[in-house]
Amino acid sequence: MDQAKLAALFKKLGASDPEGWARSQIEEGIPQLARYLFLRQAWRQIVSEGDSTWIDISIDRAQGRPDEPYAGVGHALRKLRARGATNEEITDVVRGMQAELLFSLCYLLSDPGELEAEVEGMGWALVQLDDAGGMVGAIEGLHESVLETDPTGREMRPRQAVSAQGHS
């Protein structure tokens, strides 16, 4: 696929800098389409900034099944609301922690950290597969693009920070 068609595809998929992603893939040989798609799908697992329905769902689930796995989340959310925490504040905390976890997991793919001597050569990878299930290649350096793929476009900066920057 040529650079213009690739840029058009990135744009269709929602990339904020489609030309940059396409140029990097073509000129540097980095599998940017696979990187972008993984991160886009990963961000879809993180609570959306504009949707707080998950809070009520978590609270209701915990009230119906107070001892099941993850019920503590619903119990804590109920208590936070009772103490006056807003849906926006709760969402910002949870979303921020989920994004930090995404970054940490992506970094872990690049660097397994300090391991015991018996397993210090151990590593893992995220790989791109072709239609037949064969390995195309490793998808590396994902942590480098976590923030730039934040669907809000703010790279996890606080909501008010962007409006304040716009007035500076």
Side-chain angles (χ1 to χ4, degrees):
M1 184 179 308
D2 70 26
Q3 189 169 325
K5 287 181 182 176
L6 187 57
L9 179 56
F10 273 111
K11 183 175 182 177
K12 179 181 179 184
L13 296 171
S16 61
D17 179 14
E19 292 79 14
W21 286 93
R23 183 175 39 260
S24 176
Q25 179 158 322
I26 298 297
E27 294 177 5
E28 300 170 39
I30 298 170
Q32 296 290 26
L33 184 58
R35 292 175 80 248
Y36 175 77
L37 283 173
F38 177 84
L39 289 169
R40 184 191 72 170
Q41 296 305 102
W43 273 103
R44 288 179 176 176
Q45 305 307 307
I46 292 174
V47 298
S48 173
E49 183 173 271
D51 178 17
S52 61
T53 59
W54 63 273
I55 297 172
D56 290 323
I57 292 168
S58 295
I59 292 171
D60 291 346
R61 186 180 310 127
Q63 288 176 330
R65 296 180 181 194
D67 296 324
E68 77 174 7
Y70 309 110
V73 172
H75 299 311
L77 289 169
R78 183 180 44 77
K79 290 174 186 174
L80 286 169
R81 268 203 180 151
R83 291 182 181 128
T86 66
N87 288 348
E88 185 178 279
E89 291 167 335
I90 292 169
T91 297
D92 285 350
V93 169
V94 170
R95 191 170 185 280
M97 297 306 298
Q98 289 177 330
E100 283 189 24
L101 177 62
L102 174 58
F103 179 88
S104 295
L105 291 173
C106 288
Y107 192 84
L108 189 60
L109 288 169
S110 299
D111 181 358
E114 293 183 32
L115 297 172
E116 291 78 1
E118 298 83 2
V119 292
E120 70 180 275
M122 182 71 66
W124 32 80
L126 178 66
V127 297
Q128 180 181 350
L129 303 176
D130 62 22
D131 292 342
M135 190 172 92
V136 174
I139 302 171
E140 299 173 332
L142 282 169
H143 63 283
E144 297 169 1
S145 299
V146 169
L147 290 176
E148 74 183 277
T149 54
D150 172 6
T152 69
R154 291 193 318 269
E155 298 184 342
M156 289 306 299
R157 289 181 179 85
R159 297 173 204 227
Q160 64 278 9
V162 172
S163 53
Q165 288 175 356
H167 297 103
S168 351

